[in-house]
Amino acid sequence: MAAGSLAIAVALVLVGCSSIDRTDGSDATKDSKDTIGTAPGKPEELGSPIASRDIQISDSGKLFPVKVELYQLRRDSGFVNLNVRMTRTNTTDSPDRWQIGSAFQGETISLAFSGVTMIDRKNRKRHLVARSGDPDATPGQVKYLASSGLSSVFVEAGQSVDLYAMFGAPPDDVTAVDVVIPRVPVFENVPLG
């Protein structure tokens, strides 16, 4: 199913479709793991995380402890799929919810997981999240091939959210990249499968 979705995304990018929307699933109750959000290929199907970082996210004057888990980067039809799971690690019942919103938009203007970049040290190149639509679109009109609609994603204590981003693949001889996620310490030398 993930391969079929990727093929559709690639076809739409190539024909210049104006948007690609993925639902974030935040309104639906997921399985017993209290996971919200979606990614191409759920992390359970991607194996174990290859790296993690414990961070604190500030939102509306409150600090939320979050564990960021990175899964294996995978090449597929000229793209690289990046999947992460973010889990609120405070176990006490807290009425406060973390609204992801623009936390990971970086320098982009979006409510998406669009500020993520991959650094190819070998070729000294920074890869941005792939996008679809009109290349002359204003920043607020750009559609990214990444988790979007994050203003409506709220994460409660003990809950997780799965996020994804897609990139144009570096040359085949690039076997590792650095993954840079806004607000998260850099994941260095991540193997590229």
Side-chain angles (χ1 to χ4, degrees):
M1 180 179 266
S5 297
L6 181 61
I8 291 170
V10 169
L12 291 174
V13 169
L14 293 176
V15 298
C17 180
S18 63
S19 69
I20 293 178
D21 292 324
R22 293 187 184 232
T23 58
D24 64 17
S26 61
D27 296 332
T29 302
K30 295 284 182 176
D31 59 21
S32 62
K33 293 183 181 181
D34 283 334
T35 300
I36 58 176
T38 60
K42 295 187 184 289
E44 290 84 5
E45 299 168 3
L46 299 174
S48 300
I50 60 170
S52 67
R53 301 282 187 267
D54 290 311
I55 63 170
Q56 290 202 358
I57 294 282
S58 175
D59 180 42
S60 301
K62 298 177 180 127
L63 284 177
F64 298 100
V66 175
K67 181 175 189 173
V68 181
E69 296 174 297
L70 177 68
Y71 291 83
Q72 177 65 50
L73 300 177
R74 297 174 187 243
R75 291 179 189 267
D76 191 0
S77 303
F79 286 90
V80 171
N81 297 321
L82 180 144
N83 293 280
V84 298
R85 172 169 284 170
M86 299 199 179
T87 304
R88 284 243 338 248
T89 55
N90 51 327
T91 56
T92 59
D93 290 332
S94 171
D96 298 323
R97 299 183 306 166
W98 167 38
Q99 180 183 18
I100 294 181
S102 62
F104 304 108
Q105 73 180 11
E107 298 171 1
T108 66
I109 299 175
S110 68
L111 294 169
F113 193 56
S114 54
V116 182
T117 59
M118 290 190 323
I119 306 297
D120 169 3
R121 291 187 189 194
K122 182 175 185 178
N123 297 301
R124 297 181 182 177
K125 186 171 182 182
R126 181 173 80 149
H127 294 267
L128 306 177
V129 173
R131 57 188 239 184
S132 66
D134 183 357
D136 297 323
T138 60
Q141 296 174 328
V142 172
K143 301 293 182 184
Y144 294 94
L145 300 181
S147 296
S148 61
L150 299 182
S151 62
S152 62
V153 178
F154 294 85
V155 185
E156 298 181 15
Q159 210 172 34
S160 297
V161 62
D162 296 334
L163 302 174
Y164 75 93
M166 293 175 64
F167 302 85
D172 290 341
D173 64 343
V174 175
T175 58
V177 293
D178 293 345
V179 174
V180 181
I181 301 173
R183 298 178 159 198
V184 178
V186 175
F187 292 96
E188 294 184 344
N189 204 29
V190 177
L192 182 52

